[in-house]
């Protein structure tokens, strides 16, 4: 079956530091890959996505590249801000799965300190 | 804005009571999903609707869980004879048409259910 593994948190960084959150996956078929973000007290928001190998998703300074050879979709940002403090979820859905449900990782909590 | 709306935002119930959670998807969205998110975990799939048809309910943890979407818009997740292990955040998501796999799902803020 499908599964997503994320690096465990929490991750604490100083403002303007470089961020990497690792994500690897196992899936049948040709999955689409997503990063969702959950700010305190709010629902999940789509941050970025990639639908095929070598695609790069980007949004709000965050980037992730779909690497089929390493089955990875690591999230990066060059300079984090306090407002980036949130929980980040890597997720996939698989074209062969029928209902296109999302399979999520456990989430990585990021805290950015001034 | 016209996002996914869930109600109530918080629900406290005694063990053994029945509860009903409501989801209003984005207008015109064909696909609707329910997920359960335990504390400190990622969301886990419960069930999926395409219009009014429930096409996948493989994630429902027991026959105490029941979902419906009778007119292809608003959906209700019902839990009968609640147990403490049902305590979680229940998330609803909708998308334009999830038969196209790269369609993003848009989530509501969730209902936090606490069973005493």
């Amino acid at each position: 079956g499908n599964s997503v593994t994320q690096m465990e948190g929490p991750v604490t960084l100083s403002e303007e530091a470089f961020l990497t959150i690792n994500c690897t996956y196992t899936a049948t078929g040709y999955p689409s890959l997503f990063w969702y973000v959950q700010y305190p007290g709010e629902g999940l928001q789509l941050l970025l996505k990639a639908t095929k190998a070598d695609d790069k998703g980007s949004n709000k300074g965050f980037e992730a590249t779909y690497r089929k050879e390493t089955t990875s979709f690591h999230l990066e940002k060059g300079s984090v801000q306090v407002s980036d403090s949130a929980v980040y979820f890597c997720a996939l859905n698989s074209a062969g799965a029928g209902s296109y449900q999302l399979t999520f990782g456990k989430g990585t909590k990021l805290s950015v300190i001034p | 804005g016209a996002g996914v709306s869930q109600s109530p935002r918080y629900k406290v119930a005694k063990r053994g009571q029945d509860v009903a959670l409501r989801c209003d998807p984005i207008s015109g969205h064909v696909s609707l999903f329910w997920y359960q998110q335990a504390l400190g975990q990622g969301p886990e799939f419960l069930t999926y609707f395409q219009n009014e048809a429930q096409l996948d309910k493989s994630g429902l943890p027991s026959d105490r869980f029941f979902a419906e979407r009778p007119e292809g818009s608003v959906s209700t997740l019902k839990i009968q004879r609640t147990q403490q292990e049902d305590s979680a955040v229940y998330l609803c998501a909708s998308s334009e048409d999830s038969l196209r796999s790269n369609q993003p799902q848009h989530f509501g803020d969730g209902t936090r259910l606490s069973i005493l």
Side-chain angles (χ1 to χ4, degrees), chain A residues 42-78:
Chain A
E42 298 184 15
L44 289 165
Q45 299 176 25
L46 178 65
L47 181 59
L48 53 85
K49 69 175 185 179
T51 59
K52 61 182 187 295
D54 299 326
D55 267 3
K56 178 185 283 188
S58 61
N59 186 28
K60 300 181 181 180
F62 291 88
E63 293 183 340
T65 301
Y66 188 144
R67 299 287 188 200
K68 191 177 179 187
E69 63 276 13
T70 54
T71 62
S72 65
F73 193 55
H74 304 321
L75 182 69
E76 296 182 337
K77 186 175 186 183

Side-chain angles (χ1 to χ4, degrees), chain B:
Chain B
V4 177
S5 177
Q6 292 187 246
S7 60
R9 189 73 194 274
Y10 303 93
K11 176 69 179 178
V12 179
K14 293 182 179 179
R15 188 162 56 102
Q17 289 183 329
D18 298 348
V19 298
L21 312 180
R22 176 187 169 103
C23 173
D24 273 285
I26 293 173
S27 178
H29 277 194
V30 169
S31 304
L32 186 146
F33 297 79
W34 283 98
Y35 294 85
Q36 181 189 59
Q37 185 177 18
L39 188 64
Q41 302 294 314
E44 293 192 355
F45 170 76
L46 293 177
T47 187
Y48 157 68
F49 291 85
Q50 188 79 348
N51 295 303
E52 70 278 4
Q54 189 175 20
L55 299 186
D56 187 347
K57 53 182 181 179
S58 62
L60 295 177
S62 78
D63 59 7
R64 296 186 295 104
F65 286 71
F66 172 76
E68 60 183 5
R69 194 186 185 197
E71 297 179 359
S73 178
V74 171
S75 177
T76 303
L77 176 67
K78 298 179 179 178
I79 309 174
Q80 298 176 323
R81 304 181 304 281
T82 52
Q83 303 294 318
Q84 282 194 322
E85 62 262 28
D86 300 334
S87 296
V89 176
Y90 290 85
L91 297 170
C92 177
S94 70
S95 69
E96 289 183 16
D97 183 354
S98 274
L99 291 182
R100 296 162 57 193
S101 68
N102 61 356
Q103 289 293 309
Q105 294 179 24
H106 302 270
F107 284 79
D109 288 343
T111 295
R112 182 177 297 276
L113 176 64
S114 298
I115 306 300
L116 304 180

